[in-house]
Amino acid sequence: MLEQGQIQIHTENIFPIIKKAVYSGHEVFLRELVSNSSDAISKRRMASMAGDCSEGSDGLIQIRIDREKKTITVSDNGIGMTADEVKRYINQVAFSSAEDFLEKYKQESDAIIGHFGLGFYSSFMVARQVELVTLSARPEQQAVRWSCDGSPSFTLDQAERSEPGTDVILHLLEEELEYLEPARLRTLITQYCDFMPVPVQLEGETINKQTAPWRQSSRELSDQDYIDLYHYLYPFQGDPLLWVHLNTDYPYALQGILYFPKSTGRADWEKGEIRLYCNQVFVSDSIKEIVPRYLLPLRGVIDSPDIPLNVSRSALQTDRRVRSIGNFVAKKVADRLKSLKQDDASAYADAWEALAPFVKIGAMEDEKFADQVEPLVLFGTTAESDDGESETGAAILRSGDKAYTTLEGYTSRLPQSSDKQRVLYCSDEIAQAGALSLWKGQGAEVLFADTVIDSQFLPWLESRHDELRFQRVDAELDDSLKDDAPDLADQGGETQAESLRNLMKEALANDKVTIQVQALKGGADAPAALILLPEQMRRINDIGALMEQRLPGLPEHHVLVVNRSHPMVEGLLKLESGGVLVGAGSSSPSKALARDLAVYLYDMARLAVGGLEPKELSGFQTRSSRLMASLMERGL
């Protein structure tokens, strides 16, 4: 026996902690051991190039199962170790690293990303005894056997090994015998080591793919190569929308491929779906501390040996290098979107609905990202054609029957004004149909901002552009929408507008509703009545609904515009005067019916904007049926 001794333990015995405390990730032992083997193979390759050791055959990692002995053996033909190196690396360096890992792990059970860093001593998560047989590739060396039974004691003996390399033999614990199943090990090799550049064999069969496309140049990959990788990583998810190839070696090494999925309906905005690798070894699929939150729903791979994986997650959030990596990834994503819009505007428009959540949330959360992507934000538009000045961003982009424009393109088509330029938008094409048709009828261009994010995104945009004022189509009506038809007065001097206003106020009996009577352009195609929600008042109402986690309803205080030029309203005036249904001198039945029609007019305006609560719909149906019966009875 060469040596028998004690591993120097600085605090408490870590072996029970390894076996019991790190309870949720025992399977990572295989990743750690195979990673060590891959490193040893790389070291031998570099040492042989320097003439320090024999070159040997191509690198190979072999995993063997012995059911009778209940052992798993992980073998490599790497650089191997001498007796002194075993004492230095296994008893000191590797052990100290394991101690550091466990000290951090005890503070926070999910502190270490992927439990990466326990290294060789991860063997004791699944083994009652670990043997290491190794032969250095340096000239004239003796093979040695190191053995430890899960206590601080170890033995170091001479051994037999014909070729340089290392065998790690695990004598499994009774409760860990699942790892004797080839299918279980095959799954772990595929999960953790599939893209490792060294072949990994299980019982003589090579399991891993070995080639990592993200380590190749983008010029070497076809579109189908990118799509095939996406399908392999995310089966049954369809084709990706587009992808971003990452590659830098300064000031840190990082490679990767990120994909925009076609749909974000089931996107994970908290944990994420991007996979983190270190030198082509899978580490974790939770990297929320590394990339900005708004990029978490992207998919794909980030591979970097320079991300400090053996520190706590909380430490990662303040690490300067990690923040720099996050900024680099965000910039590359923005560059990819910019190049797509410039090179293939039609494809960009086709992809916009899926891209919009990433871009808008990212812009609001990251000022640097906002500066890059704000010119790329698209809005649906009612514009039918453009002025052809695509260089200024004014061009209309088309996707099927939809038309899109940028904010810059929209404002370039507005008339110049010394005041703030008004940006008209519609957030619900159905609820705001009446107001939308009025604006469109007068040739005004209207933007569509109809996603949930837009209720926050538009005020954010407005805060960045002091020269702009965003106004929803149903916020107010300007003079361009009003007809200059004269407002005639009756014999008593009361104008039609005054008569209608008095009728509506009396019928509704609601001081919270402001009645306005206008003659609107558009004739019978214009709405008979519509509800206006002043912009700032509505925004306050929306914020209150958001804070109370409810859907924004119709505010109690709102404006009802009655269109006196509409045939229905003109008929209402005649009915109210009593001249349609009964003779002179008896107007009471007509006025009663006029009040019912006035309430119906208001109900229809509320219904159009979703302002009728479910419990009110029954009353609306009852009133409507009664009104129709009255009209039919009177021959209308």
Side-chain angles (χ1 to χ4, degrees):
M1 180 178 294
L2 290 177
E3 187 173 337
Q4 183 174 1
Q6 296 280 318
I7 300 173
Q8 294 300 311
I9 294 177
H10 301 107
T11 54
E12 58 185 305
N13 187 352
I14 72 168
F15 290 99
I17 301 174
I18 291 174
K19 292 178 180 178
K20 295 179 181 179
V22 192
Y23 60 88
S24 62
H26 285 191
E27 65 184 34
V28 300
F29 82 91
L30 191 66
R31 178 194 66 192
E32 299 287 289
L33 295 181
V34 173
S35 295
N36 286 349
S37 293
S38 180
D39 290 343
I41 291 170
S42 297
K43 288 176 181 177
R44 182 176 184 180
R45 185 182 305 115
M46 290 186 291
S48 66
M49 291 173 63
D52 294 336
C53 72
S54 60
E55 182 176 354
S57 55
D58 292 340
L60 177 64
I61 300 170
Q62 296 177 299
I63 301 173
R64 298 186 298 275
I65 298 170
D66 189 325
R67 289 179 176 275
E68 291 186 4
K69 295 181 179 179
K70 299 178 183 178
T71 62
I72 298 174
T73 301
V74 179
S75 300
D76 66 67
N77 58 353
I79 196 167
M81 288 179 284
T82 65
D84 287 340
E85 288 171 334
V86 169
K87 287 186 286 185
R88 183 163 70 251
Y89 292 122
I90 300 300
N91 291 353
Q92 296 177 23
V93 177
F95 192 83
S96 295
S97 298
E99 280 191 308
D100 290 343
F101 172 93
L102 290 168
E103 188 61 31
K104 293 165 186 170
Y105 185 89
K106 285 192 295 182
Q107 296 171 9
E108 185 182 346
S109 62
D110 193 33
I112 311 299
I113 291 184
H115 296 157
F116 194 90
L118 188 52
F120 170 77
Y121 281 89
S122 62
S123 306
F124 288 97
M125 290 195 291
V126 297
R128 58 179 175 80
Q129 181 181 1
V130 177
E131 295 180 84
L132 184 148
V133 179
T134 183
L135 173 61
S136 174
R138 303 185 191 280
E140 301 180 2
Q141 296 297 323
Q142 170 65 49
V144 295
R145 178 187 301 271
W146 176 94
S147 180
C148 178
D149 62 0
S151 71
S153 300
F154 73 89
T155 61
L156 190 62
D157 298 301
Q158 291 186 352
E160 294 295 329
R161 201 179 197 280
S162 59
E163 296 293 334
T166 300
D167 299 331
V168 179
I169 306 163
L170 309 182
H171 298 263
L172 296 179
L173 294 161
E174 288 298 321
E175 60 269 28
E176 304 290 351
L177 296 182
E178 64 179 281
Y179 297 109
L180 293 177
E181 297 297 329
R184 182 75 169 104
L185 293 185
R186 178 186 292 269
T187 298
L188 295 181
I189 295 169
T190 301
Q191 178 179 352
Y192 290 107
C193 310
D194 210 13
F195 298 100
M196 183 176 285
V198 179
V200 180
Q201 293 186 349
L202 175 63
E203 302 293 298
E205 178 188 357
T206 300
I207 305 299
N208 60 327
K209 295 172 70 69
Q210 302 170 52
T211 301
W214 59 87
R215 288 295 188 107
Q216 299 176 253
S217 166
S218 58
R219 294 186 296 272
E220 299 173 338
L221 300 174
S222 66
D223 287 355
Q224 192 59 48
D225 291 330
Y226 286 106
I227 293 171
D228 289 345
L229 176 63
Y230 183 81
H231 288 166
Y232 182 74
L233 295 174
Y234 306 97
F236 311 113
Q237 297 299 311
D239 289 347
L241 196 62
L242 57 104
W243 48 85
V244 184
H245 199 123
L246 308 171
N247 187 10
T248 183
D249 54 15
Y250 182 83
Y252 38 75
L254 182 146
Q255 291 83 33
I257 299 172
L258 296 183
Y259 295 90
F260 283 89
K262 278 191 175 176
S263 172
T264 57
R266 57 176 291 275
D268 187 342
W269 292 87
E270 296 303 324
K271 179 184 174 185
E273 298 189 68
I274 299 173
R275 302 185 181 191
L276 179 63
Y277 284 71
C278 179
N279 289 325
Q280 298 168 238
V281 177
F282 175 72
V283 176
S284 176
D285 56 5
S286 176
I287 61 168
K288 59 184 179 181
E289 294 81 11
I290 297 172
V291 300
R293 187 183 76 91
Y294 55 87
L295 295 181
L296 285 178
L298 269 62
R299 296 170 179 167
V301 170
I302 289 178
D303 188 339
S304 175
D306 291 331
I307 296 175
L309 299 175
N310 57 349
V311 301
S312 69
R313 289 182 179 273
S314 57
L316 276 177
Q317 294 175 332
T318 57
D319 186 272
R320 182 178 300 176
R321 177 175 293 182
V322 171
R323 288 203 306 271
S324 177
I325 287 174
N327 292 335
F328 167 78
V329 173
K331 182 180 184 303
K332 288 300 181 182
V333 168
D335 289 345
R336 177 69 176 94
L337 297 178
K338 183 178 180 180
S339 65
L340 177 63
K341 184 174 180 292
Q342 289 179 338
D343 299 340
D344 193 343
S346 178
Y348 185 77
D350 291 341
W352 173 247
E353 288 191 8
L355 297 175
F358 303 102
V359 175
K360 292 177 181 178
I361 292 176
M364 290 189 288
E365 292 187 350
D366 184 338
E367 188 171 351
K368 289 182 179 179
F369 189 71
D371 293 338
Q372 294 174 285
V373 301
E374 187 187 329
L376 308 178
V377 174
L378 298 185
F379 293 94
T381 177
T382 58
E384 296 297 329
S385 61
D386 60 72
D387 57 13
E389 298 179 11
S390 58
E391 295 80 5
T392 66
I396 303 297
L397 307 183
R398 300 198 174 276
S399 174
D401 58 354
K402 292 184 178 180
Y404 292 98
T405 185
T406 61
L407 183 60
E408 180 186 5
Y410 176 88
T411 55
S412 72
R413 294 185 288 273
L414 292 178
Q416 296 300 312
S417 171
S418 57
D419 298 326
K420 286 190 174 185
Q421 289 183 297
R422 179 181 59 198
V423 179
L424 284 171
Y425 71 94
C426 172
S427 61
D428 189 327
E429 198 169 354
I430 296 176
Q432 296 147 33
L436 177 62
S437 66
L438 281 175
W439 288 106
K440 288 175 62 178
Q442 300 309 308
E445 181 179 356
V446 179
L447 300 182
F448 292 104
D450 49 10
T451 67
V452 175
I453 301 171
D454 288 326
S455 63
Q456 301 172 59
F457 185 67
L458 292 188
W460 175 85
L461 264 181
E462 201 172 48
S463 70
R464 288 173 62 92
H465 295 275
D466 293 337
E467 76 282 7
L468 300 180
R469 174 173 62 91
F470 285 79
Q471 176 188 311
R472 208 168 80 175
V473 289
D474 60 351
E476 60 183 74
L477 304 177
D478 69 6
D479 291 340
S480 68
L481 305 179
K482 299 172 185 176
D483 198 336
D484 56 3
D487 187 7
L488 303 178
D490 60 15
Q491 293 179 351
E494 187 177 59
T495 65
Q496 292 179 333
E498 291 171 338
S499 298
L500 281 169
R501 188 178 299 107
N502 292 334
L503 171 61
M504 297 299 297
K505 289 186 69 173
E506 179 184 352
L508 301 185
N510 186 347
D511 293 336
K512 296 177 181 178
V513 180
T514 301
I515 309 296
Q516 293 183 2
V517 179
Q518 304 284 352
L520 302 179
K521 294 179 180 179
D525 292 334
L530 71 158
I531 288 174
L532 298 184
L533 301 174
E535 186 72 21
Q536 296 307 316
M537 181 189 298
R538 195 206 73 252
R539 290 189 189 184
I540 292 172
N541 179 68
D542 290 349
I543 292 173
L546 183 65
M547 294 178 65
E548 296 173 12
Q549 297 184 334
R550 60 175 173 82
L551 292 173
L554 179 65
E556 288 185 327
H557 294 273
H558 52 266
V559 177
L560 174 67
V561 175
V562 180
N563 179 12
R564 64 181 174 86
S565 296
H566 194 279
M568 180 178 175
V569 178
E570 291 174 345
L572 178 61
L573 267 176
K574 293 178 183 178
L575 183 62
E576 196 273 340
S577 68
V580 173
L581 298 179
V582 296
S586 179
S587 59
S588 180
S590 299
K591 287 190 174 183
L593 183 58
R595 283 195 297 271
D596 288 344
L597 279 169
V599 172
Y600 176 78
L601 202 65
Y602 178 55
D603 283 343
M604 291 299 292
R606 293 171 66 200
L607 187 65
V609 298
L612 280 179
E613 299 292 333
K615 61 184 179 182
E616 296 178 301
L617 287 174
S618 176
F620 167 69
Q621 291 174 329
T622 301
R623 290 193 300 274
S624 298
S625 298
R626 188 169 60 240
L627 177 62
M628 292 300 296
S630 297
L631 290 171
M632 292 176 67
E633 181 181 339
R634 293 171 183 268
L636 291 180

